[in-house]
Amino acid sequence: MTLEGLRADSSQFTLEGEPFRILGGSVHYFRVPRSYWEDRLLKMKACGLNTLTTYVPWNLHEPERGMFNFQNQLDLKAYVSLAAEVGLRVILRPGPYICAEWDLGGLPSWLLRDDGMRLRTTYPGFAEAVNLYFDKLISIIKPLMFEEGGPIIAVQVENEYGSYAKDDTYMPFIKDCLCSRGIKELLITSDNWAGLRNGGTAGVLKTINLQRLTFRAIQYLTFMQPNKPLMVTEYWSGWFDVWGDLHHVFPAEDMLGIVSEILNKGASINLYMFHGGTNFGFMNGASDFNTYKPQVTSYDYDAPLSEAGDYTQKYQLLRNLFHQYHSQPLPEGPPPQERNAYNPVVIQQHLSLWDALHFIDAPYRSDRPVNMENLPVNNDNGQSYGYTLYETTITSGGTLNSKNNIRDRALVFVDRKWVGNLDRKTHKLMLPDGEGTRTLSLLVENCGRVNFGKNLDSQRKGIVGDILLNRSPLRGFTTFCLEMKPDFIKSLMTSDQWKSDLTSTSTPGFYQATLCVEGLPRDTFIKLTGWGKGVVFVNGQNLGRYWFIGPQHFLYLPGPWLQGGENQIIVFEEQKMDNKILFAENPDYERTIDVYKFPFCTLL
């Protein structure tokens, strides 16, 4: 017998023929250590929510064209099945574009190897890639649909396309990608109020994303879609942070008042985020509203559950509110995770970047500089993340001019001595004079591809055009891909070339320390006081980036990634190192700002 799934045939959702109000929350499996999936979902259930929503990041699941990964941390089937075991329904948001403050909005960077690529359109190169990806993805998720006894009650068609809307045939194409592969559950779209008019497609329920009930947003949705259920698919419970700004917060009482008002209007709601988690590795996105600003490693989002899964005041207020919508008492949630402020550890060994280059695959030689995505590496899929080192020779000093072709920051060296930085604001640098032929090195960091807006097609990284010295373009480049993948870090960890003489350290370089854990490993936060900018690896796991400019000054280290006994910490530091690494039980965001004062919110 076919189960009657979620229906939107009147002003109220029905599920199995009975009225059903979605009380949802977003928790992204790819931002939460797998060991903690159950903890976070049980806490969601205990808060009174009945539905989990999650994005699906294409760039993680297909890191190289045709090479798919749905295992371990990326086991989507296991995550959705776990939600069912906990007693949650699921709304799946498979994209292919997800935004999510995630690199390139979840789209794989290898798409940008095509110079003519037009992302989020029916451009043949994009449409073909989407079809092949959906062939794989939907073969995995289809058995999890409600009609087949699974927990997925709705599937989103793309994401916030009304803010993009470059191709009238695109949304029907994505809808067909789902339906032609057997997806029969309710289809929805989600857009902010300004995108509602252009973001939908026939036969798909429109829903809205918001934080403030301004511009009569709910009324506008009702006008566009009479006699249909109202749903806020993204109610922004907080906001994300960018490097160099303050930590954004959204007062709990303000949030509660608006959530209550939404529910009083009879609408369904999904809290984005219920638990934000972490942008581990190099996966953060970036904002670019006239100024490029990469997002931080933490995705705490000032959400009801903190980055480390703590209950917050928002959680308690929401639990008190949501219990009114249940006929039975809410279950108790799991106890809070214990944490440990481990004793400081000292740096024991170091290895300069230059001495580590032989651990990288053979360099690529070209006349002109080649952007990351078009480098002939990773089975001709290019380089996606991390740093790229470009080297050439010069015979004079003078004015180095990037012509704004650096994406996104470059440390500049002459004969491996640092002489300055270039970035999106600083395009010129004076190089010192010297005798003979010298080596010019530019260590370029991809700080994160923009995840929202209409310029996704231009998110190529590395050096994207000519670099001039005294108005003449430089030629003859040797390029090293410093992606810092697990195999590279493993090679470092087992190398016998580390130097223990700390009086001769040089940056950029790698710095090694050992954390000894007695008893059961606990969550902790790493603080790199006195360090500059770089990346931290613990037992080979990339915890993400740090940067002294804040607002984030602590990196979350999950206990399951530690082991009893010795744990190896490797820090890649660009310019300024200290001799120790500190730990804390809790992060400190220092200065904060109310999200309502954040200019971006005025656009939504």
Side-chain angles (χ1 to χ4, degrees):
M1 182 179 69
T2 301
L3 297 172
E4 183 178 337
L6 190 68
R7 298 289 184 266
D9 300 328
S10 65
S11 61
Q12 189 172 21
F13 287 115
T14 61
L15 184 64
E16 297 186 275
E18 298 295 327
F20 184 74
R21 185 197 293 259
I22 296 168
L23 302 176
S26 293
V27 182
H28 300 151
Y29 59 101
F30 47 94
R31 283 180 158 129
V32 180
R34 181 167 178 167
S35 300
Y36 285 153
W37 285 355
E38 184 174 16
D39 174 83
R40 306 317 192 239
L41 297 184
L42 287 171
K43 288 172 177 174
M44 173 181 284
K45 183 74 173 178
C47 193
L49 302 184
N50 58 27
T51 304
L52 164 72
T53 74
T54 185
Y55 283 129
V56 180
W58 182 7
N59 52 10
L60 290 188
H61 287 297
E62 194 180 2
E64 297 180 12
R65 188 185 293 268
M67 186 191 82
F68 297 100
N69 182 3
F70 286 88
Q71 304 298 317
N72 303 315
Q73 182 66 46
L74 297 177
D75 193 337
L76 175 60
K77 180 179 180 180
Y79 185 64
V80 173
S81 299
L82 179 61
E85 293 175 19
V86 169
L88 295 167
R89 307 298 187 186
V90 175
I91 296 175
L92 199 68
R93 310 176 74 186
Y97 162 84
I98 63 173
C99 186
E101 290 71 63
W102 195 251
D103 187 274
L104 201 58
L107 301 175
S109 65
W110 45 259
L111 291 166
L112 297 175
R113 290 175 66 82
D114 179 349
D115 290 340
M117 176 57 64
R118 289 185 287 126
L119 302 172
R120 304 182 74 192
T121 71
T122 51
Y123 173 74
F126 185 70
E128 178 186 5
V130 170
N131 271 310
L132 292 174
Y133 170 57
F134 271 28
D135 283 344
K136 180 65 175 182
L137 173 63
I138 294 177
S139 71
I140 291 171
I141 64 173
K142 190 174 183 300
L144 302 169
M145 296 294 146
F146 189 81
E147 69 163 359
E148 301 195 25
I152 299 176
I153 58 174
V155 178
Q156 186 173 300
V157 181
E158 236 268 351
N159 186 58
E160 296 179 318
Y161 196 69
S163 299
Y164 191 77
K166 284 190 173 183
D167 183 343
D168 292 340
T169 65
Y170 178 66
M171 288 295 283
F173 162 67
I174 297 298
K175 177 188 175 185
D176 183 66
C177 283
L178 297 168
C179 295
S180 65
R181 291 169 173 82
I183 300 300
K184 299 177 182 178
E185 304 303 334
L186 181 70
L187 299 180
I188 65 172
T189 60
S190 69
D191 286 281
N192 62 46
W193 73 271
L196 277 174
R197 184 174 299 277
N198 299 318
T201 191
V204 177
L205 182 72
K206 295 176 184 285
T207 71
I208 195 167
N209 303 339
L210 54 81
Q211 187 169 69
R212 292 177 283 185
L213 288 174
T214 53
F215 303 100
R216 301 175 66 85
I218 296 293
Q219 293 89 332
Y220 183 51
L221 181 59
T222 303
F223 169 77
M224 294 189 68
Q225 204 168 239
N227 301 315
K228 292 291 184 181
L230 295 171
M231 180 167 177
V232 180
T233 292
E234 288 188 15
Y235 176 72
W236 301 316
S237 63
W239 205 248
F240 58 87
D241 291 339
V242 296
W243 290 114
D245 280 8
L246 301 180
H247 173 55
H248 294 99
V249 296
F250 182 28
E253 295 80 4
D254 293 350
M255 178 210 70
L256 184 71
I258 299 174
V259 171
S260 298
E261 186 175 352
I262 291 170
L263 295 175
N264 288 338
K265 292 179 181 296
S268 288
I269 192 170
N270 177 70
L271 298 165
Y272 188 98
M273 298 292 297
F274 179 74
H275 168 55
T278 309
N279 298 317
F280 293 115
F282 296 116
M283 299 311 300
N284 63 278
S287 303
D288 194 352
F289 297 95
N290 301 318
T291 303
Y292 171 83
K293 293 185 177 182
Q295 290 136 14
V296 303
T297 297
S298 170
Y299 201 60
D300 176 83
Y301 210 84
D302 196 30
L305 285 183
S306 74
E307 179 180 13
D310 298 328
Y311 298 110
T312 68
Q313 182 189 11
K314 286 182 179 178
Y315 181 97
Q316 301 302 339
L317 291 173
L318 289 169
R319 178 177 158 91
N320 292 338
L321 173 64
F322 289 142
H323 95 273
Q324 303 171 31
Y325 295 87
H326 294 267
S327 58
Q328 300 295 324
L330 296 178
E332 292 299 319
Q337 293 286 340
E338 293 185 34
R339 288 206 284 278
N340 196 342
Y342 295 104
N343 292 327
V345 297
V346 298
I347 299 301
Q348 298 164 316
Q349 301 178 99
H350 68 97
L351 188 66
S352 77
L353 169 65
W354 320 109
D355 290 337
L357 291 180
H358 70 277
F359 291 112
I360 300 173
D361 291 339
Y364 173 66
R365 291 177 173 80
S366 61
D367 190 39
R368 298 170 179 263
V370 176
N371 62 285
M372 285 175 59
E373 294 79 5
N374 285 99
L375 289 168
V377 296
N378 297 320
N379 300 310
D380 281 334
N381 285 274
Q383 180 183 352
S384 295
Y385 312 108
Y387 295 77
T388 310
L389 178 65
Y390 296 84
E391 293 193 331
T392 186
T393 56
I394 58 175
T395 56
S396 70
T399 302
L400 188 69
N401 186 349
S402 72
K403 297 184 66 67
N404 198 25
N405 286 326
I406 297 292
R407 300 287 186 276
D408 298 294
R409 295 176 63 254
L411 277 66
V412 182
F413 305 85
V414 174
D415 282 346
R416 298 184 173 177
K417 293 182 180 179
W418 177 74
V419 295
N421 295 348
L422 295 172
D423 55 30
R424 289 171 176 261
K425 292 181 180 180
T426 303
H427 303 160
K428 293 183 179 181
L429 180 67
M430 289 301 299
L431 300 185
D433 290 324
E435 296 182 1
T437 299
R438 296 176 296 164
T439 300
L440 174 70
S441 305
L442 296 97
L443 179 63
V444 183
E445 180 191 11
N446 164 11
C447 295
R449 295 181 182 85
V450 167
N451 55 265
F452 181 86
K454 298 188 177 184
N455 62 343
L456 297 183
D457 297 344
S458 63
Q459 293 305 304
R460 294 172 181 85
K461 298 295 184 176
I463 298 181
V464 298
D466 280 337
I467 305 294
L468 308 184
L469 179 58
N470 299 326
R471 300 184 179 181
S472 296
L474 294 170
R475 294 290 182 259
F477 284 87
T478 300
T479 306
F480 299 83
C481 296
L482 192 62
E483 300 178 88
M484 302 191 192
K485 288 184 174 182
D487 285 349
F488 171 77
I489 298 301
K490 183 177 179 181
S491 296
L492 286 185
M493 291 171 64
T494 57
S495 171
D496 60 0
Q497 298 179 29
W498 291 88
K499 299 176 182 178
S500 56
D501 180 6
L502 299 181
T503 63
S504 62
T505 60
S506 63
T507 53
F510 298 89
Y511 300 85
Q512 186 269 336
T514 301
L515 171 65
C516 292
V517 173
E518 297 180 1
L520 187 66
R522 303 290 189 192
D523 286 7
T524 190
F525 284 87
I526 288 180
K527 184 176 184 181
L528 292 160
T529 301
W531 297 72
K533 186 182 191 307
V535 190
V536 177
F537 301 84
V538 177
N539 295 331
Q541 294 272 6
N542 188 335
L543 299 189
R545 312 176 210 248
Y546 65 91
W547 198 354
F548 76 93
I549 66 173
Q552 180 179 358
H553 296 287
F554 296 78
L555 283 175
Y556 174 52
L557 171 52
W561 292 358
L562 294 171
Q563 59 194 16
E566 293 188 350
N567 296 267
Q568 190 166 8
I569 302 175
I570 292 178
V571 179
F572 174 71
E573 167 59 49
E574 295 182 12
Q575 285 189 279
K576 180 186 176 185
M577 61 84 62
D578 192 27
N579 65 352
K580 61 183 178 302
I581 298 171
L582 307 179
F583 300 88
E585 289 188 17
N586 297 293
D588 179 4
Y589 289 100
E590 299 174 354
R591 297 173 62 198
T592 63
I593 186 171
D594 190 322
V595 66
Y596 277 10
K597 299 177 182 178
F598 189 42
F600 176 78
C601 291
T602 64
L603 302 174
L604 302 179

